[in-house]
Amino acid sequence: ATLRSKRASCHIEPNTGGRKRLNKQGVVKIATLINALVDMDYFTEEEEQDLFEHAVMLVLDKVEEILPGPIMRLVLETDFDDGVDDEMAETMRARLIEYVKKNVSLPYLDSTDVA
């Protein structure tokens, strides 16, 4: 599947202030991917899924605080043909990772899960 079709399957919807965000289906897909990669002691798979959906929402909320609408649309709606170049994408990715690590607390995940 192409990046465009993958993004299309994670529909976006308007958020407050005219911003766009992943809908519940997109959040579930991301959380399911994380759940497939991370196993947490003491929790069932269903409980882990709930925890990861919660974590995805916290991260998205924090990212939406700093990315203006046009940038969020660029991130969510573009593909390789009309998106930013690799260097800009890598720079933005690195900055977002640092920002999220400093500003999102997920105390139920250990350091290996958060990385």
Side-chain angles (χ1 to χ4, degrees):
T2 66
L3 182 60
R4 183 180 299 272
S5 66
K6 288 178 186 176
R7 286 188 178 153
S9 69
C10 293
H11 301 286
I12 56 175
E13 51 192 39
N15 191 13
T16 57
R19 293 183 177 174
K20 299 197 177 208
R21 76 168 328 155
L22 287 177
N23 67 5
K24 177 69 174 171
Q25 179 185 6
V27 170
V28 169
K29 284 184 177 190
I30 293 169
T32 300
L33 175 62
I34 296 168
N35 197 0
L37 299 172
V38 177
D39 187 39
M40 297 175 67
D41 295 335
Y42 314 112
F43 298 103
T44 67
E45 286 301 311
E46 293 78 20
E47 290 170 329
E48 287 179 3
Q49 183 69 23
D50 288 342
L51 291 171
F52 294 131
E53 287 177 26
H54 178 259
V56 169
M57 290 303 300
L58 288 176
V59 170
L60 285 175
D61 287 344
K62 196 51 77 172
V63 168
E64 287 178 346
E65 287 179 11
I66 63 165
L67 291 184
I71 299 295
M72 282 300 290
R73 281 190 297 281
L74 183 67
V75 169
L76 293 171
E77 296 177 347
T78 60
D79 63 18
F80 294 116
D81 295 330
D82 61 357
V84 298
D85 64 42
D86 290 345
E87 183 178 344
M88 182 177 176
E90 179 57 30
T91 300
M92 190 182 322
R93 185 190 71 77
R95 289 177 181 167
L96 284 173
I97 288 171
E98 283 304 311
Y99 178 80
V100 169
K101 283 182 175 182
K102 289 179 184 175
N103 293 285
V104 177
S105 177
L106 302 169
Y108 48 86
L109 298 178
D110 66 27
S111 60
T112 59
D113 296 334
V114 174

